[in-house]
């Protein structure tokens, strides 16, 4: 029986694909692998240990920080710092980016990482899957100097790698370096990730839509029109509605079964809710590498020029056929409608 390769073997076998990298990108992915195992251990026993509940602080989004949010952020920040590979990290849980200076002043580290350490963390209390999302760029400012905001405000089309860890019924690490999407499942008994989902691709025609319909009255007219289209009896419709309330889980299911995830603008969230840099861009990179699409309803997510670290954008992501139809409805109205 063909032995599935481990994540470590996969990285070594594909090292040559990490162009311009003399092994740092491999080491970076390996540090994410280590942090994923540590966080997974805590997430899986969250119900048993008094780690739930508010950490008594709020993050820049004004959201109560769950202790597990804070814990996951600490683990990923420490792991990425210790390996001396990155020169800066931006996190949903940190107001500003963090500079990682090398041991000596000549900071030659050439990668920056943007991360949502525990997306969907409010689901922890109700035992629903949560996830970590990461996005990796090569710095644009001169190495040896302190990292700058412009190193983080890069279009998504400049990403060198992106991925997520989904802490679900099993724990998976799914990532891309621009050569397709591969999924690795953790065997917790031995702490090893095995290649369980090689070359992940969205099914051609999705029939699942994921959106919080509780906000219907606040949606733009284009979204309301598209939802009515999904619910109409015609051809392969009505579609199935599935919404977990955890972006990583909804995205992961849609990539396997086909579907569209939408978090649009609304009168309550005029820019949408999801953050461009560490939620939408990495998921968009994965979606496109898996044959899908990601837009803000009007333009490609990965072509948006970021202006702020924590900026929000409307997000439509998933099977190409469904995105194309949704965009047709959206483009009947101006973007501000
Ligand atoms: P709502 C979790 O907070 C998150 O960022 C995504 O993971 C999830 O899809 C969305 O927000 C849920 O938001 O407003 O529907 O509860």
């Amino acid at each position: 029986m063909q032995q599935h390769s481990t994540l470590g073997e996969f990285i070594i076998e594909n090292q040559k694909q990490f162009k311009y990298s003399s092994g740092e990108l491999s080491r970076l992915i390996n540090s994410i692998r280590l942090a994923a195992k540590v966080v997974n251990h805590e997430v899986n026993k969250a119900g048993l240990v008094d780690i739930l509940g508010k950490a008594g602080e709020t993050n820049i989004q004004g959201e109560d920080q769950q202790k597990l949010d804070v814990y996951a952020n600490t683990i990923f920040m420490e792991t990425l710092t210790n390996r001396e590979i990155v020169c800066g990290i931006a996190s949903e849980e940190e107001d500003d980016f963090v500079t990682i200076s090398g041991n000596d002043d000549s900071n030659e580290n050439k990668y920056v990482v943007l991360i949502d350490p525990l997306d969907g963390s409010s689901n922890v209390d109700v035992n629903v899957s949560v996830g970590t999302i990461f996005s990796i760029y090569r710095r644009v400012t001169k190495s040896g100097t302190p990292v700058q905001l412009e190193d983080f405000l890069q279009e998504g089309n400049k990403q060198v790698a992106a991925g997520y860890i989904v802490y679900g019924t099993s724990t998976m690490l799914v990532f891309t370096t621009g050569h397709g999407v591969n999924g690795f499942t953790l065997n917790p008994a031995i702490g090893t990730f095995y290649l369980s989902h090689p070359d992940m691709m969205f099914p051609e025609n999705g029939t699942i839509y994921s959106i919080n319909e509780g906000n219907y009255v606040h949606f733009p007219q284009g979204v309301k029109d598209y939802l009515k289209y999904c619910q109409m009896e015609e051809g392969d419709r009505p579609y199935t509605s599935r919404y977990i309330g955890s972006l990583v889980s909804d995205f992961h299911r849609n990539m396997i079964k086909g579907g569209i995830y939408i978090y649009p603008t609304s009168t309550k969230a005029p820019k949408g809710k999801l953050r461009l840099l560490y939620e939408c861009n990495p998921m968009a990179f994965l979606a496109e590498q898996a044959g899908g699409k990601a837009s803000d309803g009007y333009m490609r997510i990965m072509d948006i020029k970021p202006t702020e670290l924590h900026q929000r954008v409307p997000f439509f992501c998933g099977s190409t056929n469904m995105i194309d139809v949704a965009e047709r409805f959206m483009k009947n109205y101006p973007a501000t409608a």
Side-chain angles (χ1 to χ4, degrees):
M1 184 181 78
Q2 197 251 340
Q3 172 66 29
H4 276 309
S5 65
T6 66
L7 176 54
E9 290 161 346
F10 179 88
I11 290 172
I12 291 165
E13 285 156 22
N14 292 278
Q15 166 66 37
K16 56 184 176 299
Q17 283 177 2
F18 300 166
K19 60 180 186 295
Y20 317 128
S21 160
S22 53
E24 291 100 326
L25 190 54
S26 302
R27 287 188 4 247
L28 180 39
I29 302 285
N30 273 316
S31 60
I32 289 171
R33 169 176 65 158
L34 173 61
K37 291 185 208 175
V38 175
V39 170
N40 174 65
H41 181 68
E42 286 305 318
V43 166
N44 278 348
K45 64 177 186 176
L48 303 174
V49 177
D50 177 31
I51 199 166
L52 296 180
K54 313 285 181 275
E57 294 153 18
T58 59
N59 62 18
I60 191 170
Q61 329 297 341
E63 295 162 345
D64 287 330
Q65 277 189 289
Q66 304 277 350
K67 285 182 184 174
L68 218 44
D69 265 353
V70 177
Y71 175 78
N73 187 53
T74 303
I75 294 299
F76 276 94
M77 298 289 279
E78 284 178 355
T79 311
L80 289 167
T81 300
N82 295 344
R83 295 290 182 98
E84 289 238 336
I85 310 155
V86 302
C87 57
I89 305 171
S91 168
E92 183 196 36
E93 302 302 334
E94 303 283 346
D95 296 355
D96 203 348
F97 64 85
V98 173
T99 300
I100 314 290
S101 50
N103 278 340
D104 54 19
D105 293 343
S106 67
N107 184 346
E108 296 306 319
N109 300 347
K110 58 184 168 196
Y111 293 103
V112 295
V113 179
L114 299 100
I115 192 162
D116 183 356
L118 206 66
D119 180 72
S121 56
S122 57
N123 289 316
V124 169
D125 297 357
V126 294
N127 204 11
V128 167
S129 305
V130 291
T132 297
I133 308 171
F134 61 90
S135 172
I136 301 171
Y137 292 84
R138 201 168 288 105
R139 72 180 299 177
V140 293
T141 54
K142 209 160 61 66
S143 62
T145 60
V147 69
Q148 306 292 320
L149 182 58
E150 68 186 281
D151 289 307
F152 297 93
L153 300 185
Q154 301 184 52
E155 290 95 339
N157 56 46
K158 303 283 195 315
Q159 291 174 96
V160 294
Y164 58 81
I165 297 104
V166 52
Y167 309 98
T169 45
S170 63
T171 294
M172 282 190 70
L173 170 58
V174 178
F175 77 98
T176 182
T177 59
H179 301 277
V181 178
N182 290 284
F184 299 80
T185 299
L186 179 66
N187 177 342
I190 55 174
T192 301
F193 281 100
Y194 285 92
L195 178 61
S196 54
H197 297 66
D199 299 322
M200 299 181 81
M201 293 294 283
F202 277 95
E204 191 66 36
N205 294 304
T207 58
I208 295 173
Y209 65 98
S210 306
I211 187 169
N212 183 344
E213 292 191 69
N215 296 324
Y216 181 84
V217 293
H218 303 297
F219 287 154
Q221 192 55 46
V223 173
K224 291 178 178 175
D225 295 349
Y226 177 63
L227 290 180
K228 288 303 156 220
Y229 167 86
C230 293
Q231 294 157 0
M232 197 186 291
E233 187 106 45
E234 188 180 55
D236 58 356
R237 286 171 285 132
Y239 292 151
T240 297
S241 172
R242 286 282 183 278
Y243 192 66
I244 300 170
S246 174
L247 167 62
V248 171
S249 303
D250 280 314
F251 178 94
H252 187 76
R253 183 211 48 250
N254 287 348
M255 187 159 60
I256 292 172
K257 293 185 177 290
I260 185 172
Y261 170 96
I262 304 175
Y263 208 102
T265 61
S266 70
T267 48
K268 294 195 303 182
K271 297 276 186 200
K273 175 182 183 185
L274 301 185
R275 291 78 168 185
L276 173 61
L277 291 182
Y278 41 79
E279 289 174 328
C280 300
N281 270 335
M283 301 314 267
F285 192 14
L286 290 162
E288 292 194 5
Q289 285 290 312
K293 284 180 90 168
S295 86
D296 64 0
Y298 296 88
M299 71 175 284
R300 183 185 181 222
I301 283 286
M302 292 210 287
D303 289 340
I304 296 175
K305 175 62 185 146
T307 53
E308 291 163 39
L309 212 48
H310 299 286
Q311 79 183 75
R312 301 172 194 264
V313 291
F315 193 50
F316 297 65
C317 182
S319 298
T320 298
N321 73 308
M322 301 183 83
I323 300 286
D324 289 345
V325 173
E327 286 185 348
R328 278 207 300 277
F329 281 98
M330 295 303 290
K331 289 172 180 172
N332 289 336
Y333 308 90
T336 51

